[in-house]
């Protein structure tokens, strides 16, 4: 497997250049016309506007230009303004995606391009991924947690909390502090987790 992302250089093939033609620098999307020939996407858009004879105010800041491009998306491909806006959005979006991919590839490849994802490394990554997951326990998994703490979220409670699972009957699941929940409502009004939920998590 060959990595897609790389830093600019004259040794880049046409395919490499295509995959790396946009990138993020100082929080802004940049465009590479050729190795060593770079400009910000905002500067490129200003040049293309002149080519398309689109009236674009030269005093616009880059932030203001972005607002104009967002507004011009309404024109679609039927008007030059819309084409310009589509180009702008496609380039900055590609730059963001490339930067995210580069983060992964910097971990998965050595500096010389050698792939580091050996079968052993893949197994470690899969194990790490599984350990980070915090999906709700299945009812079967919960019933195997006897005597162990689980993190309970209730649809009707204002706060989630730790509880120790004690035992279960055909109808109820019992926890410490005389708390119980109905088995039939598990997964609908209450959930159990191995770890506390992040604030942004949505158990429902």
């Amino acid at each position: 497997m060959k990595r897609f992302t790389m830093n600019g250089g004259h040794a880049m093939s046409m395919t490499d250049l295509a995959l790396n033609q946009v990138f993020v620098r100082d929080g802004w999307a940049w465009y590479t016309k050729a190795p060593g020939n770079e400009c910000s996407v905002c500067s490129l858009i200003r040049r293309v506007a002149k080519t398309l004879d689109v009236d674009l105010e030269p005093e616009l800041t880059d932030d203001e230009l972005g607002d104009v491009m967002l507004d011009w998306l309404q024109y679609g491909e039927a008007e030059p303004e819309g084409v310009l806006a589509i180009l702008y959005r496609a380039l900055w979006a590609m730059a963001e995606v490339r930067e995210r991919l580069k983060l992964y590839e910097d971990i998965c490849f050595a500096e010389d391009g050698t792939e580091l994802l050996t079968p052993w490394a893949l197994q470690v990554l899969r194990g790490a991924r599984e350990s980070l997951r915090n999906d709700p326990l299945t009812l079967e998994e919960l019933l195997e947690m006897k005597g162990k703490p689980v993190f309970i979220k209730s649809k009707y409670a204002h706060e989630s909390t730790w509880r120790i699972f004690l035992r279960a009957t055909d109808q109820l699941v019992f926890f410490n502090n005389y708390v119980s929940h109905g088995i039939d409502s598990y997964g609908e009004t209450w959930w159990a987790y191995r770890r506390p939920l992040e604030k942004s998590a949505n158990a429902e």
Side-chain angles (χ1 to χ4, degrees):
M1 181 185 297
K2 180 178 180 292
R3 71 176 292 160
F4 286 165
T5 62
M6 59 186 66
N7 296 323
H10 293 281
M12 292 173 66
S13 67
M14 292 303 295
T15 299
D16 293 335
L17 180 60
L19 294 172
N20 294 273
Q21 63 182 312
V22 287
F23 60 95
V24 175
R25 176 185 291 168
D26 298 327
W28 289 92
W30 280 65
Y31 171 72
T32 302
K33 182 177 181 180
N37 186 357
E38 303 167 348
C39 68
S40 70
V41 166
C42 289
S43 296
L44 176 67
I45 292 299
R46 291 185 173 93
R47 295 178 192 174
V48 177
K50 292 180 180 179
T51 301
L52 297 178
D53 197 24
V54 173
D55 186 17
L56 193 61
E57 295 181 18
E59 297 82 8
L60 289 175
T61 66
D62 288 348
D63 282 324
E64 292 170 337
L65 177 65
D67 293 336
V68 171
M69 293 298 103
L70 179 61
D71 181 57
W72 282 4
L73 283 171
Q74 62 181 302
Y75 298 115
E77 68 279 5
E79 299 290 341
E81 290 84 355
V83 173
L84 202 62
I86 292 171
L87 175 63
Y88 175 81
R89 181 174 64 174
L91 289 176
W92 73 251
M94 182 178 177
E96 291 287 346
V97 172
R98 177 194 176 274
E99 291 306 304
R100 179 64 64 88
L101 176 60
K102 188 174 185 298
L103 287 174
Y104 287 101
E105 292 194 335
D106 286 346
I107 296 172
C108 299
F109 291 86
E111 291 185 5
D112 62 358
T114 303
E115 187 177 4
L116 299 178
L117 288 182
T118 62
W120 175 83
L122 282 171
Q123 185 176 0
V124 171
L125 288 175
R126 291 192 182 102
R129 181 185 64 184
E130 289 300 317
S131 67
L132 291 173
R133 289 180 59 185
N134 196 27
D135 297 331
L137 296 168
T138 65
L139 184 58
E140 291 73 18
E141 289 172 334
L142 173 60
L143 297 181
E144 294 175 356
M145 300 284 287
K146 187 174 182 179
K148 297 180 180 179
V150 292
F151 194 76
I152 300 296
K153 177 175 175 60
S154 173
K155 185 176 182 179
Y156 304 109
H158 296 294
E159 295 183 359
S160 303
T161 186
W162 284 104
R163 296 290 181 194
I164 296 177
F165 168 54
L166 299 179
R167 62 187 179 87
T169 65
D170 292 339
Q171 297 180 339
L172 294 172
V173 180
F174 294 91
F175 299 93
N176 64 320
N177 294 337
Y178 305 100
V179 174
S180 63
H181 292 284
I183 283 185
D184 290 342
S185 60
Y186 185 71
E188 297 180 4
T189 62
W190 68 282
W191 301 263
Y193 298 83
R194 298 183 188 278
R195 295 187 302 278
L197 294 170
E198 296 179 2
K199 292 182 179 180
S200 60
N202 183 358
E204 302 175 39

